[in-house]
Amino acid sequence: MPPTSTPLPGPRPGGDAPGGPSPLAGREQEEALLTAALLNLRRGLPAVADVHGPPGTGRSALLDRTAVLAARAGVRVAAAQACPEEAGRPHSLAARLYGALARSGHAAAPPPHREPRDLERAALCRVFLAAARTEPLLVAVDDVQWADQASLRWLQALGRRLGGTSLMLLTARSDAAPAEPGERIAPCPLDGEDTVARHTLTLGPLPDQAVGRLLAQAWSAPADPAFQEAATRAADGNPALLRSVISRFARHGWSPTGEHLPRLADCVAEAVRHRTRRTLTALPEELHTILRVIAAAGPDCTPAMVTALAGAHTPRALARLSGTGLLRPGDRPAFRHPAAADTVLAALSVQSREELHADVAAWAYRTAAPDSAVARMLLSARPTGAAWAVGLLRGEAALHRAAGRPADAARLLRRALREPVPPAQRVQLLTELAAAVLPTDPETADRHLRQALLAPAGTTAGPAWVDAAELLVARGDMAAAQPLIARAAGRAAPDGDDATALRALYWLAEQSEPEAAHELDGPPVPPLPPRPATPAEAAAAAWRTALRGHDIDRARDLARTALAPAARRTVPLLLQTAACHALVLSGDHDEAGTAADTVLLHARHADVPPVAGLALVVMGLAELGRGRPDAAAGALDRAREIMRGRGRTPFLTPGLIAFEALVRLEQGELDEAGQLLGPAHPYGTAAGLSGALLLYARGRIHLSRGHREQALTDLLECGRRLLARQVTNPAFLPWRKIAASACDPTADGTTAAALLAEEQRLARAWGAPATPAGTPADEPPPPGQPAGRHTPPSSPQTAAPTARRTARDDRQPAARPEDRRLPPPPPSGPAPRQQLTGAEQRVAALAADGLPNRAIADRLSVTPRTVELHLTKTYRKLGIQGRAELAAALGHRPKATP
């Protein structure tokens, strides 16, 4: 506040002025001061009062309120408002004040036919002073910054002659056009405060309480606290903005509640745009230039930047712009509201805006501004062609992806693609953009990957092509990936690691969808060599060997070659995942789980969610092979989280759904598993190996429910799809064995025997011992009962340890693990039998009938290990020592043991 400011008296109780409550919320102190000045005016003390503030702070409203108070106090009023259209017309403002005085009914009012231009300045002053000596007079001038020079000089002369009169000269000026030293209106320097009072009132933002009062005056019901807080923050205490919002809400019938908060933001933005356009008309062009630089630079603008790019005397210009209300206070010039910055830039053409942003970004980069600030400036800039631009944008995009802001990363990468970059770098940018948009828009991600693989580039693009091919195959669209990978492999350096990795990825896709390959799709990819020369080829060969069940030792050695620490650098993560899968099929579950965990770590660090999800699926398969379905379920939950939303494609989703259903079966939750696979084809056509897994899981569920015919149909179709892809290893999916259990023993005995014989032959060819003949798994169940020994997928169910354990369990039921002595549980809590889960009750009922663990596992489609776990928990909950006490504890009469 200037040195001449007058301290404001405290508000009256309740904020009321004489004659009733004040309509000006938050201006009670200013109103009280002007009221006191009017009362002193009646006592013969003249005054000069100046009201100033940024646009929209209520200067005009305060002048209007003072005129009302003057009328109530018996003070005549002559008021006028200056306007820019008349700033060049001499005496225009004085003429309107002269007419207002003539119409006021003042006893010494001038004759109405006289014009101010007909009177000399001194004569015109005498007219007003004579009127003020007979009755108190208030002369109020709004927007005095637009007064013509002749009228302004007259007002200055009038202010110097106030002594001994009852005249109060009240003016209002916008801080957007502060008064120059020669434009100030002041009393005679010889007049003291006891002769002519001086008041300067500075209007700032409304306090929070005043905003609440303003909203309460507009609506009968009080505003929602959240709405009031948002309105205070959005309008920044500007009463004009608040009244604009209230007016728009009233027109549309909206109420001040939380549900209308988005409309509040729109209303404030529109009011800001309108106010900004009006303010710009009052500013000279050089200030427009400064505002454009500030708008383009955003919150990272500095006075030095303004000086360098706008070529202005920055301190003086910024001091003047601070009075417009557009900028925030502080050392760094910045707009109060984004809508104001947008309005300033909207006056420029698109080309001019892009040029301005480019200049701002280049200056910021040269002066070592933060990379985040430079990247934001580049988003709206024209392509600069600068070598640093693409690297900076890519680096910031990587940070956004790591922080979980893929949309921001995608914007930066799209901007980087507008730069003139080398072909190899364009391939890399397209691949990174695909990874950024994958969580929200997988179809667009696939399009970017296809563009990357088709982009013409030299051999230096090899690493980027490998990344694109890996992500496309991991997405599961094997048919679309193969011709694109073939073309990229043909352009990569023939003997380099990149070409080898591309060929290995092609073979990986070809194994799942061999019918997709076509000789016209691009350069032919040679067949997988019988003796792989590189770790990447070894990974593809390990997976193919394991699926085809040729040689378990060779598959194991190839997988270990691909997963060796020295080889991981040249083997894409997806191929490493395939090698881990091969180890699962060879029965090396611990080794496979450890290797898959390493792949998962690197995949998450590289931010490739599809590969990370597949690594978790392999970890889950390893857990199933260990007989730990709960751990497998945990791995599946993590895989679903990583591959959440639309990132799960129609090609991979069937496999995830089928895997979850199989895990539920292993946990004894048949109903939950069936709900997962309720629709016939829940996700598209379910092509590839995922589709075969879906059919296998659904066949097992049908069989567990006793629906032999439906189970056999699904299982045989699963086998047909696997055989079309040369997948014969029963360790991948033991569909033949399950199909044999689904055969009708009276009508399809020959078929069942052939399926079992083929299963055992293929198991021996793979290298695992055959299932011992005569076990319950090879016998058809009684009519109407669930059937089939259902081994988890990708687990060698005929491995020697399992076979030996099974034979021992069936021959010596008294030595099974569940018969060990267990301490009884504490007696507190609900009845023990009520604590059993549905799965535990089903297992316990069959055990009480005398069935051995192996037969219970076959009946419920779970592993013997799962049966052991359920029985152990059951014994603890029931407080018994073993199977011998089970029937009595359940109140169950055992059936004859088969």
Side-chain angles (χ1 to χ4, degrees):
M1 184 174 292
T4 56
S5 298
T6 301
L8 300 180
R12 297 175 183 269
D16 294 341
S22 171
L24 301 183
R27 302 302 183 209
E28 293 84 1
Q29 291 185 344
E30 290 84 355
E31 185 176 322
L33 184 146
L34 293 173
T35 300
L38 291 172
L39 295 177
N40 289 333
L41 185 65
R42 290 185 55 84
R43 300 187 184 103
L45 179 62
V48 175
D50 172 48
V51 179
H52 70 93
T57 51
R59 303 182 317 275
S60 299
L62 185 59
L63 259 66
D64 292 342
R65 177 62 176 169
T66 305
V68 172
L69 296 174
R72 293 177 181 174
V75 176
R76 298 293 180 179
V77 179
Q81 182 177 18
C83 58
E85 293 80 9
E86 296 182 353
R89 294 175 54 188
H91 302 286
S92 57
L93 177 62
R96 279 188 280 128
L97 286 172
Y98 188 81
L101 181 62
R103 294 188 299 271
S104 68
H106 202 286
H113 63 275
R114 299 290 299 275
E115 291 292 336
R117 66 175 60 92
D118 298 332
L119 300 173
E120 296 180 359
R121 183 184 305 166
L124 187 59
C125 289
R126 287 195 293 270
V127 171
F128 278 80
L129 293 173
R133 289 190 179 98
T134 58
E135 289 184 87
L137 174 63
L138 170 66
V139 176
V141 180
D142 196 7
D143 286 334
V144 72
Q145 71 272 8
W146 298 119
D148 61 275
Q149 287 298 312
S151 298
L152 181 61
R153 297 293 176 256
W154 167 68
L155 288 173
Q156 290 174 327
L158 183 63
R160 290 192 294 270
R161 292 168 169 81
L162 295 182
T165 69
S166 294
L167 190 148
M168 178 176 175
L169 185 54
L170 175 63
T171 59
R173 175 184 292 272
S174 171
D175 285 349
E180 298 293 336
E183 297 177 348
R184 292 191 177 94
I185 300 173
C188 176
L190 299 179
D191 291 334
E193 286 285 348
D194 56 343
T195 305
V196 178
R198 299 170 175 85
H199 306 289
T200 300
L201 290 79
T202 303
L203 302 185
L206 294 179
D208 294 353
Q209 299 85 348
V211 173
R213 276 194 55 201
L214 198 61
L215 296 177
Q217 291 172 0
W219 286 285
S220 56
D224 184 84
F227 183 92
Q228 180 173 330
E229 179 182 357
T232 304
R233 185 173 58 253
D236 204 10
N238 188 287
L241 292 182
L242 286 169
R243 293 188 186 279
S244 177
V245 170
I246 292 170
S247 175
R248 188 171 179 184
F249 265 61
R251 285 199 309 270
H252 294 280
W254 300 333
S255 56
T257 58
E259 63 179 318
H260 291 142
L261 284 179
R263 291 170 174 165
L264 169 66
D266 293 340
C267 292
V268 170
E270 179 58 33
V272 167
R273 285 190 288 268
H274 178 71
R275 189 191 70 177
T276 303
R277 286 191 291 267
R278 292 187 57 184
T279 302
L280 291 176
T281 61
L283 299 178
E285 182 59 31
E286 58 268 20
L287 295 185
H288 286 207
T289 303
I290 294 177
L291 287 175
R292 289 166 189 159
V293 171
I294 297 172
D300 298 284
C301 184
T302 62
M305 179 185 292
V306 174
T307 301
L309 298 178
H313 187 268
T314 306
R316 181 178 179 184
L318 292 179
R320 180 171 181 184
L321 287 174
S322 65
T324 64
L326 298 179
L327 303 182
R328 294 185 180 278
D331 296 335
R332 286 181 174 268
F335 281 88
R336 289 181 178 271
H337 200 284
D342 295 340
T343 304
V344 168
L345 293 176
L348 297 174
S349 65
V350 174
Q351 181 178 0
S352 298
R353 283 200 302 271
E354 290 186 343
E355 289 285 347
L356 176 60
H357 279 96
D359 293 342
V360 168
W363 193 93
Y365 179 78
R366 289 195 302 270
T367 56
D371 287 354
S372 58
V374 180
R376 182 185 49 75
M377 297 171 190
L378 283 173
L379 283 174
S380 301
R382 59 163 174 78
T384 64
W388 55 266
V390 174
L392 187 144
L393 290 167
R394 286 184 61 200
E396 284 301 302
L399 292 177
H400 281 298
R401 286 177 60 193
R405 298 187 295 269
D408 295 333
R411 281 194 292 270
L412 292 170
L413 291 169
R414 290 191 182 98
R415 172 60 185 84
L417 281 167
R418 294 177 55 199
E419 293 288 334
V421 297
Q425 194 174 38
R426 182 167 296 277
V427 175
Q428 196 169 25
L429 286 170
L430 285 168
T431 305
E432 293 172 1
L433 177 58
V437 302
L438 178 60
T440 56
D441 195 352
E443 292 79 11
T444 300
D446 290 345
R447 185 172 70 251
H448 291 317
L449 292 173
R450 291 191 289 268
Q451 291 173 344
L453 291 170
L454 289 173
T459 57
T460 56
W465 279 329
V466 172
D467 293 340
E470 179 182 33
L471 192 53
L472 192 60
V473 175
R475 291 266 299 136
D477 193 353
M478 309 299 181
Q482 291 178 54
L484 300 175
I485 297 175
R487 295 191 182 195
R491 296 196 298 273
D495 299 328
D497 293 336
D498 301 329
T500 300
L502 286 168
R503 289 194 295 269
L505 289 169
Y506 177 89
W507 295 323
L508 202 68
E510 183 185 40
Q511 178 64 53
S512 182
E513 290 289 340
E515 63 273 13
H518 195 282
E519 60 182 3
L520 300 180
D521 286 337
V525 175
L528 179 62
R531 296 183 179 277
T534 66
E537 292 178 344
W543 196 58
R544 181 171 293 188
T545 300
L547 290 181
R548 297 182 179 182
H550 290 167
D551 187 333
I552 190 172
D553 293 328
R554 182 172 183 271
R556 184 182 288 121
D557 291 341
L558 289 170
R560 289 169 176 167
T561 299
L563 294 172
R568 287 182 180 270
R569 182 184 62 81
T570 61
V571 182
L573 293 173
L574 184 62
L575 288 167
Q576 295 182 38
T577 304
C580 295
H581 194 179
L583 290 177
V584 172
L585 298 178
S586 66
D588 302 290
H589 301 122
D590 293 338
E591 185 178 357
T594 301
D597 192 48
T598 302
V599 173
L600 173 64
L601 178 65
H602 290 290
R604 300 201 71 162
H605 182 267
D607 196 16
V608 278
V611 178
L614 291 174
L616 281 166
V617 171
V618 172
M619 292 173 66
L621 295 174
E623 295 294 351
L624 276 183
R626 295 167 176 164
R628 299 193 294 198
D630 292 341
L636 178 62
D637 290 340
R638 294 170 63 194
R640 280 202 311 268
E641 176 63 24
I642 288 178
M643 304 171 71
R644 64 187 180 277
R646 299 175 61 197
R648 294 167 57 183
T649 69
F651 303 97
L652 290 181
T653 301
L656 294 174
I657 295 295
F659 180 35
E660 183 176 1
L662 293 171
V663 170
R664 292 294 181 89
L665 279 177
E666 290 301 312
Q667 294 175 314
E669 299 174 357
L670 176 60
D671 294 338
E672 291 80 356
Q675 292 174 1
L676 290 170
L677 301 182
H681 290 286
Y683 295 93
T685 58
L689 297 179
S690 292
L693 181 59
L694 175 70
L695 291 165
Y696 173 79
R698 199 171 62 183
R700 284 187 51 179
I701 291 173
H702 284 318
L703 189 59
S704 298
R705 291 172 171 170
H707 304 155
R708 292 177 179 270
E709 185 174 351
Q710 294 171 306
L712 186 60
T713 299
D714 282 340
L715 291 166
L716 293 179
E717 175 60 19
C718 166
R720 186 191 69 78
R721 295 194 182 194
L722 293 177
L723 293 175
R725 292 155 179 80
Q726 302 183 51
V727 180
T728 59
N729 193 347
F732 180 70
L733 289 179
W735 64 270
R736 298 174 185 83
K737 183 176 181 180
I738 310 303
S741 300
C743 291
D744 188 341
T746 61
D748 301 324
T750 303
T751 301
L755 289 170
L756 287 174
E758 181 70 5
E759 179 94 352
Q760 293 177 6
R761 183 187 69 78
L762 292 172
R764 285 192 295 270
W766 170 230
T771 303
T775 62
D778 299 323
E779 299 174 359
Q785 293 293 329
R789 163 72 183 99
H790 307 312
T791 307
S794 305
S795 174
Q797 77 286 355
T798 53
T802 304
R804 288 195 297 270
R805 186 187 68 223
T806 301
R808 182 170 63 250
D809 288 349
D810 285 340
R811 290 193 305 270
Q812 300 176 3
R816 285 188 295 273
E818 70 272 21
D819 291 329
R820 60 183 180 272
R821 313 305 287 182
L822 298 172
S828 60
R833 184 173 180 179
Q834 296 177 0
Q835 297 178 7
L836 298 181
T837 65
E840 291 167 353
Q841 290 179 10
R842 288 191 289 270
V843 171
L846 293 174
D849 283 339
L851 269 68
N853 288 4
R854 180 72 176 189
I856 295 174
D858 292 339
R859 187 71 60 86
L860 297 179
S861 305
V862 297
T863 62
R865 175 60 178 163
T866 301
V867 174
E868 295 171 6
L869 294 174
H870 283 318
L871 285 175
T872 300
K873 295 177 182 178
T874 299
Y875 298 155
R876 289 184 178 135
K877 291 180 179 180
L878 296 179
I880 61 178
Q881 302 299 315
R883 183 186 287 261
E885 305 174 31
L886 187 58
L890 295 175
H892 184 78
R893 178 176 298 177
K895 300 179 182 178
T897 303

